[in-house]
Structures are given as structure tokens and as C-alpha cells.
Amino acid sequence: MYITKAKTPDNKKVSLLEFIQKHSAMGTWEFDTKLLAITWSSETKKIHEVPSDYEPNIERALSFYKQGYSLDTITKLFNDCIEKHEEYDVEIQIITPSGEDKWVRAIGMPIIKDNKCIKVQGLFQDIDEKTKISKSLAYKEQQLRRTFETALVGMAIVDLEGNWIDVNRSLCNTFGYTKEEIEQLSFLDVTHPEDLRKDYKSMMSMMSGKIDHYETEKRYISKKGETIWTQLSTSIVRDDNGNPLHFVAQINDLTEIKKTSKKVSQLLATTEDQNKRLLNFAQIVSHNLRSHYGNLDMLLDIVKMDLPETTDNEIFPLICLAVSHLGETVENLNEVAAINIQKDLKTEPLNLLENFNRAYSSISALIIDSKTTISINIEPDIVVKAVPAYLDSILLNFLTNAVKYKKPSEPAKIEINTSTNNNFVVLEIRDYGQGIDLVKYGEKLFGMYKTFHKHEDSRGLGLFITKNQVEAIGGKIEVESEVNEGTTFYIYLKKHE
Amino acid sequence: MNKIDVACIIDDDPIFIFGAKRMMELSDFCKSFMVFKNGQEAINNLKPIMISGEDVPDIILLDINMPIMDGWDFLDEFVKIESHKLITIYIVSSSIDPIDVNRAKRYKTISNYIIKPISTDTLKEILQLELAK
């Protein structure tokens, strides 16, 4: 009846209503309970994605709703609206003819006449975009929250006064407080007193804008009163105008790492201490033992000259032999001690082939006598880093060993090859001799005074000294061996770049 | 002259002293000995001898490791004494430590570094060198 009073023409009125419907993405609809007829406005049809000449009926209208929650909800609300005269306003999903889910807001209002619902009028709004955005925001929020909560690193949001706004589980575990307890405390309450100043300063620098984050190693005090070592990274969060809002802190528990590194440094101290004692021992060997041996040897000489009649028996030569063995042992011990005491060894570039040939020619008599065949394949341009005296001794030792431990029945056969391995030159010395039972003797192979062969001058010290010398110049030795097949030593020497 | 007049042994080890003396006798090394048990005793006794110029030793066999005053300290004190006679000093030690050997090289007064034990052969060599002077 307002329409008749309006000055504007009727068709103009309609188009205004359409204008409103279009721009609010909201359509209208009406259901006549007597005629069981439903009418949709053009915007309502548009939301349903049906053409403007579409003729809806109640079954068709309901069929748009998504099976399950949406259909059940709208059916019940629509019935209640007619039967119980209840209004409704609900957000549910329809499925458009193209098969897409769409979020809509459906509003229904009963028109009552004589206590009977004669009509239901309603609004129909497209809220799909808005709903999907807010739903995905909620999902992202939840994801972030889960990440925050389950992160293994302790995380906290701290306000500008240093009060905890939020803390995660890991942080609570580190500090030994419950979330409720810790939220009663400030950041500074749990900080180790000695680190307070530094922390406070950094917070101030961040607030003043001098820095926007900082990382430090910092101590906290746990609920039990224990010191906790952590790696702290803090950054400040600002609003769009650059005003500080709060801090975000990540706290990594380093206590275990600290404990371990303390253990390591204790071990180091012990080792250094033992090394000192070893050095001391080496000096005792070098001096005291030598002087006693010297005296014995000298006295024996005097006896020989002074009292020759007392030497003509079985015992005297044995005493002389024993003393001479003692002298050798002391000499060997000294050699070993000297290698271990040497601190700054002066290595120099040495041509491997030249040095090898020198060692080889110094035992050429032995090679010829023993009818040894030897094939030497060393590239003439290989240069290694070594101490000259050590390299000589190493080469000589391996060569003589290879000759010495030949098979008793046949002359020795030796092959020398080289290869490179990273920073090392690998000198390979292969003999086809007696071989060593590595399963039985492997562990002892490079030990002091271990001999594996019944050979008249196996002293058992050669390999021990050689190994020490190789290691002193940064190399290592590997061995392969088979009894009655032979032995191959791989001597790793530092390559000269 | 085919013998050294006076030989001086500075060593704390009685066995070495006994042995060295006997070796010297057996190899007809010197006419008389002078023995001191450490650097301090040697300095105390050598000082008046050197000043008076009588019975000054021709040769000193000096040990390094000794109580009270060791061989190095003795040398530092000894070079301060003015003497008209050139005295040959040999270090005689059981130390084969390169540090000791190199240190000995820095003293001009030291003729050589002999590693114990000493033998009659060593003594004969020393005697030859000394008599050649």
C-alpha cells in the first residue's frame, strides 16, 4: 500500500530493489503455504545459478542444499517456521548446478494470520567468498597455533614490559613451570641475575628501533633453581606505523650441550696432564736409565782391563751380553720417546722416488745377497710432505721388512706402487712373503716389542717406531695380509700441494 | 810431555768418578786428578787455584745434571774467573736430549759433548788433541 503512495513509477521502484539486491548479493523469496508455491527474486535465482525464467518449487528448492548437515538443518528450520512460527537465520551450503559448493545465508520469517502461517518470506545471501576466506584463515591460525605449541624449540610471545603473553609446551618443559605458573612471571623473573643487564639493554635497543632482533647465549633459572643455558633469539613485532607491539622469543635449551662440552674439556685437561707425565717419563728414560747403563758398561770395560782373570768364565760374557741388550733397549726407548716428545716437526717437500732410491741403494747389498726381485713404480714427480730423517727411516724399515720376512723356500719378491687418495699419496709395498695372521696379531701388529716371525734380528720395534713416525708427519698405515700369500702395507703420506 | 798434568772431574755420581779415574789411570791419561761432587764445590775450590795459578787443571770433564749447582750454572760462574791458562772443558753426560746438545754448542769454552759411557778410546782421543796444542 506504500507503493500506491509513491511518486515514482512502479517499474522504477522495482529496479531500485533489484539494485539493492544485486549489490548486497542478497535475494528475496516467498512461499505461499496455501498454494505451496515458491517464488524467487532474480538475485536469488542468480545465487542458485539458474536462468531468470527458472520456475522453482519446494522440492526443487530443497534439492539444492548439500546432503547431510545443510539439508537436514534447512528442512527442520523451514518446518519449524511453518509449524511453530519460528524465524531462522542460518549459514549453510548449497550445491550449484555446476556442482560447486557455495556458502549461503538463509533467512526465513513466517507471516501469521489468525494464528496460522500463511506465508514464509525470506532473504537469501551469497556469503561464499567471505566464509571461505574466514574458514581458511581459521585453518591457518590453527596450523600456526599447532606449530607454536608442538615446536621442539621453546617459543614465547612477550609484551613490552617483559610479561609472557603466550608460551609453548617446550618452553614450559625447559623451565619446569606449568603454563599457568609461568604466565604469572615476567621474562626477567626467570633470567639468571648475571644476564639481566645485558637482556634489558637488548630489549631497550629493540624498542628504540636500533635493532630489530638479537641472538645471544643466555642463562635462565628453572623452577628447581638450576641454571639453564640457552641460545636465545628475540625479535620485535611492530604495527603498520612501526610502533612496537610485542617480542617473539625462541629459546633453545643448551644445557646438555654445555654439560657435554664441559666433560670434553675435563677430558682434555686429563689428557694434557697425562701427556706431561709421559714426557716426564720419557725424560727419566732418556737420562736416568741411560746413566745407569753407562756406568755398568764402563765398569765392565774396567774389569776387562783391570781384572782380566775374573772374565775367564761362563758368567762374565753373559753379563756383558745382558748389559749390551740393556743398552739397546734404552736406545730404542729413546728413539720412541724422541718421536713422541717432538712437538714442532719441520716437514719439507720431498721427492718420493729420490728418497726411495736412496733407501733402496743403502740396502742394495742385502737385496743382491738375498736375490730379491723388486719392481718399483713410483711416478718421478710425486712430492710428499715429510721430515727427511723420518721418511728415510720409514722407507728403509718397510723395505728391510719386506726382504726379511720372505718365504724361507724362495727369494723375496717386492712390488712398489703409488696412488693418490684425497690429500694423501699412498705408497703400496707388497711382498709375497710369509704374511701375518691379522686375525691373531692384527691388534698387536704395531705394538712395541711384538714379533710374529722367528727371525734372528726381529726386534719388534721397527713397526712401532715407523708407525709413530708416519703419524707424527700426519700420515697413517693400513695393512692387508694373508699367511703364506704375503703382506701389503699402504703408507699414507701427506701430499705436497 | 805425553801426559796431561791435572784432570778435573765434576760429577755427582761416585760410580762414574770411580770408573773415569780408573780409565784415566789405565790409559795413562794424566798425572793427577781433581774431583768435585757438584758445581758449587768445584767453583769454591777452583777459584783460589785459578787465581794463584798453581796446579790449574788442563782439562775439565763436566756433568750437567748435578745437585746444588748444575753444569750450566757452573759454566756461567766459571767464565767469570780470570785465568791465564786455557782450560779445555768437555761436557760428559748421559743426556742425549738435543736441547742439552744444542745448549752446549752455545758455550765457546766447551770443546765437545761426550755422551756417557766414556771409553778408553775416547780418553785417548782427548789426550791426542790436548797434547797437540
Side-chain angles (χ1 to χ4, degrees):
Chain A
M1 54 183 188
Y2 293 102
I3 293 165
T4 51
K5 272 189 180 176
K7 282 174 187 163
T8 46
D10 202 44
N11 62 345
K12 188 94 182 195
K13 193 89 188 167
V14 171
S15 72
L16 178 64
L17 192 65
E18 276 181 356
F19 179 81
I20 294 167
Q21 291 197 15
K22 190 180 165 197
H23 286 275
S24 59
M26 193 185 280
T28 59
W29 57 274
E30 198 176 275
F31 177 69
D32 189 318
T33 54
K34 213 182 215 164
L35 300 172
L36 296 175
I38 190 161
T39 51
W40 286 357
S41 74
S42 60
E43 186 60 29
T44 303
K45 287 179 184 168
K46 212 173 142 193
I47 296 169
H48 280 90
E49 295 176 21
V50 291
S52 54
D53 56 359
Y54 183 80
E55 297 282 344
N57 62 34
I58 190 67
E59 284 80 25
R60 277 180 169 182
L62 285 173
S63 74
F64 277 91
Y65 290 90
K66 195 175 173 178
Q67 288 282 339
Y69 172 77
S70 292
L71 181 60
D72 295 349
T73 304
I74 197 69
T75 309
K76 181 174 186 301
L77 289 173
F78 192 66
N79 282 332
D80 286 353
C81 185
I82 296 164
E83 308 285 331
K84 300 179 185 166
H85 309 161
E86 285 172 0
E87 290 179 18
Y88 68 85
D89 182 348
V90 69
E91 290 181 0
I92 46 180
Q93 276 175 296
I94 60 166
I95 294 171
T96 64
S98 59
E100 300 286 331
D101 284 9
K102 190 182 245 182
W103 282 94
V104 294
R105 181 182 177 192
I107 298 172
M109 187 181 68
I111 307 293
I112 316 295
K113 199 180 176 185
D114 303 331
N115 206 26
K116 209 176 166 228
C117 175
I118 55 159
K119 265 186 189 173
V120 180
Q121 287 183 328
L123 296 170
F124 201 71
Q125 189 181 14
D126 183 348
I127 55 162
D128 193 55
E129 204 174 331
K130 176 190 113 201
T131 309
K132 279 186 178 153
I133 289 171
S134 78
K135 289 231 183 254
S136 99
L137 268 178
Y139 178 71
K140 276 182 190 155
E141 217 284 324
Q142 192 187 29
Q143 263 190 326
L144 271 178
R145 157 101 346 233
R146 280 200 193 133
T147 310
F148 179 80
E149 198 50 47
T150 56
L152 288 175
V153 55
M155 282 165 59
I157 298 169
V158 181
D159 74 12
L160 300 177
E161 276 80 50
N163 300 307
W164 308 100
I165 300 174
D166 203 354
V167 295
N168 74 350
R169 211 180 306 153
S170 179
L171 187 109
C172 295
N173 291 344
T174 304
F175 289 178
Y177 287 107
T178 65
K179 198 167 173 164
E180 290 70 33
E181 285 171 332
I182 211 164
E183 278 168 0
Q184 300 299 311
L185 300 166
S186 97
F187 196 83
L188 303 169
D189 285 333
V190 292
T191 297
H192 192 286
E194 286 170 27
D195 287 349
L196 263 178
R197 227 185 130 77
K198 188 172 71 174
D199 225 25
Y200 191 71
K201 257 174 127 177
S202 311
M203 277 176 85
M204 287 298 131
S205 309
M206 278 197 290
M207 272 158 72
S208 69
K210 243 188 259 169
I211 52 172
D212 59 0
H213 70 275
Y214 83 104
E215 279 182 43
T216 183
E217 220 167 69
K218 172 182 166 176
R219 287 164 295 174
Y220 290 94
I221 303 291
S222 75
K223 192 181 178 183
K224 283 186 194 161
E226 288 165 346
T227 300
I228 307 162
W229 280 95
T230 70
Q231 171 74 35
L232 168 71
S233 317
T234 310
S235 46
I236 194 162
V237 177
R238 295 170 189 280
D239 64 16
D240 291 344
N241 300 320
N243 300 314
L245 292 175
H246 56 255
F247 298 106
V248 176
Q250 293 193 24
I251 297 167
N252 238 330
D253 192 348
L254 301 181
T255 311
E256 281 307 309
I257 297 169
K258 282 275 168 188
K259 270 188 201 161
T260 317
S261 81
K262 204 172 162 191
K263 252 185 222 165
V264 170
S265 60
Q266 271 171 351
L267 265 176
L268 196 68
T270 313
T271 314
E272 272 172 11
D273 192 47
Q274 281 176 343
N275 254 342
K276 265 184 212 154
R277 267 183 273 167
L278 201 66
L279 203 73
N280 209 358
F281 174 75
Q283 272 156 357
I284 293 168
V285 168
S286 159
H287 185 260
N288 296 15
L289 224 50
R290 272 207 103 258
S291 67
H292 297 318
Y293 153 72
N295 280 341
L296 280 174
D297 192 57
M298 181 180 68
L299 290 173
L300 287 176
D301 274 356
I302 293 169
V303 171
K304 275 184 222 161
M305 290 183 283
D306 234 0
L307 310 158
E309 66 280 8
T310 61
T311 63
D312 187 19
N313 52 48
E314 278 178 19
I315 298 170
F316 190 81
L318 291 178
I319 295 174
C320 290
L321 191 64
V323 169
S324 121
H325 283 167
L326 175 66
E328 261 176 52
T329 304
V330 171
E331 209 65 45
N332 291 339
L333 283 172
N334 272 311
E335 271 180 66
V336 175
I339 295 164
N340 288 327
I341 290 168
Q342 288 275 18
K343 271 181 189 155
D344 31 69
L345 284 171
K346 290 204 180 80
T347 59
E348 43 188 272
L350 297 169
N351 183 290
L352 189 60
L353 183 59
E354 281 172 22
N355 280 271
F356 185 89
N357 284 338
R358 199 163 47 238
Y360 176 65
S361 60
S362 75
I363 59 157
S364 54
L366 176 69
I367 302 262
I368 294 162
D369 280 354
S370 59
K371 299 193 176 75
T372 299
T373 51
I374 180 162
S375 84
I376 302 165
N377 305 304
I378 300 174
E379 296 292 325
D381 57 349
I382 294 177
V383 180
V384 297
K385 268 197 287 195
V387 177
Y390 284 9
L391 186 61
D392 282 350
S393 147
I394 293 161
L395 295 173
L396 204 58
N397 214 316
F398 278 113
L399 263 179
T400 42
N401 271 353
V403 176
K404 228 192 268 178
Y405 301 117
K406 67 181 190 64
K407 285 183 192 142
S409 53
E410 54 190 90
K413 203 174 124 195
I414 305 167
E415 279 174 23
I416 315 290
N417 288 298
T418 54
S419 59
T420 52
N421 184 330
N422 292 327
N423 301 321
F424 291 105
V425 170
V426 186
L427 178 68
E428 182 187 320
I429 301 182
R430 180 185 303 269
D431 67 53
Y432 293 89
Q434 301 170 20
I436 304 159
D437 187 344
L438 289 177
V439 179
K440 224 166 162 182
Y441 301 113
E443 301 250 319
K444 299 176 184 164
L445 185 55
F446 296 100
M448 216 168 170
Y449 289 105
K450 307 283 183 207
T451 53
F452 314 98
H453 308 100
K454 288 174 187 142
H455 195 277
E456 51 197 11
D457 44 293
S458 38
R459 288 190 309 162
L461 203 66
L463 271 181
F464 181 77
I465 290 179
T466 307
K467 180 175 185 269
N468 272 272
Q469 287 173 333
V470 170
E471 284 171 1
I473 56 174
K476 61 176 177 177
I477 300 174
E478 285 173 2
V479 62
E480 279 171 10
S481 190
E482 195 101 17
V483 174
N484 288 327
E485 298 284 326
T487 306
T488 309
F489 284 101
Y490 300 91
I491 305 141
Y492 287 69
L493 298 166
K494 277 271 170 74
K495 193 160 62 179
H496 175 72
E497 300 300 339
Chain B
M1 187 173 98
N2 56 2
K3 249 190 212 186
I4 289 167
D5 282 332
V6 184
C8 173
I9 302 169
I10 307 172
D11 200 309
D12 63 321
D13 180 356
I15 301 175
F16 176 79
I17 292 167
F18 168 82
K21 270 167 84 172
R22 195 75 197 102
M23 288 245 185
M24 284 177 178
E25 285 162 9
L26 289 167
S27 54
D28 231 6
F29 188 75
C30 56
K31 288 177 189 157
S32 67
F33 306 107
M34 217 177 258
V35 176
F36 304 112
K37 287 200 284 291
N38 62 61
Q40 190 62 54
E41 196 185 299
I43 282 292
N44 291 349
N45 289 284
L46 282 173
K47 219 170 184 174
I49 292 171
M50 307 264 292
I51 291 165
S52 72
E54 280 177 39
D55 293 332
V56 179
D58 304 278
I59 184 168
I60 295 175
L61 302 185
L62 176 67
D63 187 24
I64 295 173
N65 292 294
M66 287 181 290
I68 305 169
M69 184 190 271
D70 71 11
W72 306 121
D73 290 341
F74 167 82
L75 280 169
D76 292 338
E77 287 297 313
F78 183 76
V79 293
K80 289 181 197 161
I81 304 169
E82 281 191 38
S83 168
H84 300 291
K85 193 172 172 182
L86 196 71
I87 302 171
T88 318
I89 301 176
Y90 287 92
I91 296 276
V92 183
S93 168
S94 46
S95 168
I96 53 166
D97 192 332
I99 294 171
D100 286 335
V101 179
N102 287 330
R103 191 167 172 186
K105 283 180 189 158
R106 291 207 298 269
Y107 287 88
K108 282 181 193 149
T109 41
I110 295 174
S111 294
N112 210 345
Y113 190 104
I114 298 165
I115 291 166
K116 287 179 185 175
I118 58 165
S119 62
T120 45
D121 289 343
T122 317
L123 288 175
K124 276 172 193 157
E125 271 171 43
I126 294 172
L127 185 62
Q128 297 282 313
L129 284 171
E130 198 57 28
L131 295 178
K133 275 181 188 170

